[in-house]
Amino acid sequence: MKIAIYEAGSGPRIGVVLGDRIVDAGLAGPLMDHLEAWAEIAPRLAGLDPASGLPLSGVRLRAPIPRPGKIFAIGLNYADHISESGMGTPERQVWFTKAQTSVNGPFDPVQAPRVSQAVDYEAEMVAVIGRRGKHIAREDAAAHIFGYCVGNDVTERAWQHATPQWSLGKSFDTHAPFGPWITTGDEVDPHALDIRCTVNGDERQASNTRHLVFDVFDQVAHLSQAMTLEPGDVIFTGTPGGIGAAMTPRRFLKPGDVVRVEIQGLGAIENRIEAEA
């Protein structure tokens, strides 16, 4: 099942994507409030009629979780990205946070900040937590994941590398677009999905999630040893090689560029770079 947040002339609504249409789910409030009860909700939604919905082309899709409780992202998690970064394969998972205010819609503009000329893309699969848990065993991790979507861990490289902590360079406003919807975990093998990023139609990244150094279930198990994971928490699971900072010469994003990230079975997001007002 594909669950999206959409607007069609009024406030945001929760919808079910059926082919090229979206049908209102009849659920009030934010999606994250319904995640733990989804097993009871899903059977009713399974019978929705696409004809009762709206064309996807006529609605605005928003970030599926507009204000996550936590946003964590893992670094150095594909072998080719580790190689191009000139670093060794980490023995332990390398984590940083992104600010809640970095969340952005799947087709909304991404800002090139006033203070920056080093904005980069990072195509990533995103996991959304659906069930609260602490000290989650790896074999139980799938049961705590609501579903998966497409993300771009947009990064300001100069700020990222100005200090040993990466979070500031990862947290500029609009620098965490994800969506276009959440595909529920029962429909996805998260470790067998092609992932691709293009800039202005030029392919920059192409890999498969089977190449993750630490897979998604390892990530959930590890994070949960430190903190309680809660419904609506968002995890960016790592980017493959091909980032602009590793190219010769470096190729950072500039206003007018269009970045598209596609993941097999999860859809695609597309964001135009615009100068910060």
Side-chain angles (χ1 to χ4, degrees), residues 133-146:
K134 181 82 184 286
H135 297 294
I136 300 167
R138 186 191 187 283
E139 57 268 25
D140 296 329
H144 289 264
I145 298 171
F146 177 69

Side-chain angles (χ1 to χ4, degrees), residues 2-258:
K2 295 177 172 62
I3 312 301
I5 304 300
Y6 72 101
E7 289 187 7
S10 59
R13 300 288 300 169
I14 301 170
V16 179
V17 177
L18 299 170
D20 61 356
R21 300 180 72 83
I22 188 164
V23 183
D24 195 286
L27 299 171
L31 175 59
M32 60 193 298
D33 289 353
H34 300 284
L35 297 184
E36 283 200 297
W38 200 257
E40 291 75 45
I41 295 170
R44 176 178 65 80
L45 301 182
L48 292 175
D49 180 4
S52 67
L54 299 169
L56 276 171
S57 59
V59 304
R60 180 185 182 187
L61 294 177
R62 308 301 299 267
I65 307 291
R67 191 56 72 103
K70 296 185 282 293
I71 308 173
F72 270 85
I74 191 169
L76 303 173
N77 204 34
Y78 282 80
D80 55 358
H81 179 52
I82 294 168
S83 177
E84 71 181 2
S85 299
M87 304 178 75
T89 301
E91 295 182 5
R92 294 176 61 85
Q93 296 177 31
V94 177
W95 287 97
F96 55 90
T97 60
K98 291 177 78 76
Q100 290 178 326
T101 46
S102 66
V103 169
N104 198 7
F107 302 104
D108 292 342
V110 164
Q111 292 179 3
R114 297 180 192 176
V115 297
S116 166
Q117 294 186 7
V119 177
D120 209 349
Y121 52 85
E122 293 192 6
E124 309 210 7
M125 180 177 67
V126 172
V128 178
I129 298 298
R131 179 177 152 202
R132 180 184 175 92
K134 181 82 184 286
H135 297 294
I136 300 167
R138 186 191 187 283
E139 57 268 25
D140 296 329
H144 289 264
I145 298 171
F146 177 69
Y148 302 90
C149 49
V150 182
N152 185 353
D153 174 21
V154 182
T155 304
E156 202 297 311
R157 297 295 181 195
W159 284 57
Q160 178 192 8
H161 296 301
T163 67
Q165 295 291 334
W166 295 349
S167 291
L168 194 57
K170 296 283 191 172
S171 290
F172 279 71
D173 288 352
T174 74
H175 283 196
F178 67 101
W181 42 71
I182 304 173
T183 302
T184 53
D186 59 315
E187 295 188 357
V188 178
D189 176 355
H191 304 125
L193 305 177
D194 291 332
I195 180 170
R196 180 172 182 261
C197 175
T198 64
V199 178
N200 302 327
D202 176 36
E203 184 173 276
R204 300 286 184 87
Q205 295 180 284
S207 188
N208 187 286
T209 56
R210 67 176 175 269
H211 298 307
L212 289 165
V213 176
F214 300 101
D215 72 23
V216 183
F217 302 152
D218 288 332
Q219 295 177 36
V220 168
H222 184 72
L223 285 173
S224 74
Q225 307 313 302
M227 68 200 72
T228 300
L229 295 180
E230 299 177 310
D233 287 347
V234 168
I235 299 172
F236 281 72
T237 63
T239 197
I243 60 171
M247 301 179 77
T248 304
R250 289 179 155 194
R251 297 178 68 180
F252 293 123
L253 299 171
K254 60 186 184 301
D257 286 345
V258 176

